[in-house]
Amino acid sequence: MGKVYPEIDGRLRDFILGQPVFFVATAPSGAEGHVNVSPKGMRGTFVLLNPHRVAYLDYHGSGAETIAHLRDNGRITVMFCAFDGPPKIVRLQGRGSSVAVTEETFAERIAEFPAPPDVHAVRAVITVEVDRVSDSCGYGVPLMDFRAERDLLLTAHSRRTADDLAVYRATRNAASIDGLPVF
């Protein structure tokens, strides 16, 4: 049986920040459309801003479902699993928003990350106002060893100029798979 917490306390904070991967889930409004779950990682791309507010760096990628869904209804869940040590799953549920690289407040939002990796290809900062913090056992989550982070995302985008990334957003990230606008 899981437990609901009033906030992200020190023990949960340590657990969350100790995980090398997390998952983000969003969905469009209504009964139609697709639920999206995206794995995220890379040290320095997730921060706890206060006991009810978190943020992560959203890099250019093959889709932009999260941003589209947040624009549509704001609902988001961020989930962390223990793949080593004691079994545990932590979910942060709440309302999310995005600040795109093209917006005036982007610089102050990215400054909230004390040790980000290369930020050249960040397309947005996603912030979650957390209204529910819960954990569950994680007994079914396999034990796995972390070997290393992949550098492919950063390497692939390092060859693109800022103009290339703008074209990428306009042509490949303009709409979600359900046709919702992204930027």
Side-chain angles (χ1 to χ4, degrees), residues 28 64-74 98 175-177 180-182:
E65 305 308 300
T66 301
I67 296 170
H69 294 162
L70 294 179
R71 286 179 51 137
D72 181 47
N73 60 44
S98 67
S176 74
I177 59 175
L180 295 172
V182 176

Side-chain angles (χ1 to χ4, degrees), residues 22-26 36-40 56 66 76-79 126:
F22 60 98
F23 302 86
V24 175
T26 58
N36 185 64
V37 179
S38 294
K40 305 290 182 186
Y56 71 88
T66 301
I76 188 168
T77 298
V78 182
M79 184 181 79
I126 306 294

Side-chain angles (χ1 to χ4, degrees), residues 2 5 10 14 18 24 26 31 44 54 65 81 84-85 88 117 137 141 149 155:
Y5 299 88
D14 292 345
V24 175
T26 58
V54 300
E65 305 308 300
C81 300
D84 65 0
K88 183 186 235 16
C137 68
V141 176
E149 294 191 25
T155 302

Side-chain angles (χ1 to χ4, degrees), residues 22-101:
F22 60 98
F23 302 86
V24 175
T26 58
S29 297
E32 301 300 316
H34 295 84
V35 175
N36 185 64
V37 179
S38 294
K40 305 290 182 186
M42 294 194 297
R43 296 276 181 212
T45 63
F46 183 89
V47 293
L48 285 146
L49 300 169
N50 70 44
H52 293 281
R53 190 170 195 228
V54 300
Y56 71 88
L57 300 177
D58 184 63
Y59 285 80
H60 287 79
S62 56
E65 305 308 300
T66 301
I67 296 170
H69 294 162
L70 294 179
R71 286 179 51 137
D72 181 47
N73 60 44
R75 297 176 305 169
I76 188 168
T77 298
V78 182
M79 184 181 79
F80 301 84
C81 300
F83 292 106
D84 65 0
K88 183 186 235 16
I89 298 170
V90 172
R91 289 178 183 85
L92 308 176
Q93 295 163 313
R95 296 295 212 200
S97 61
S98 67
V99 174
V101 65

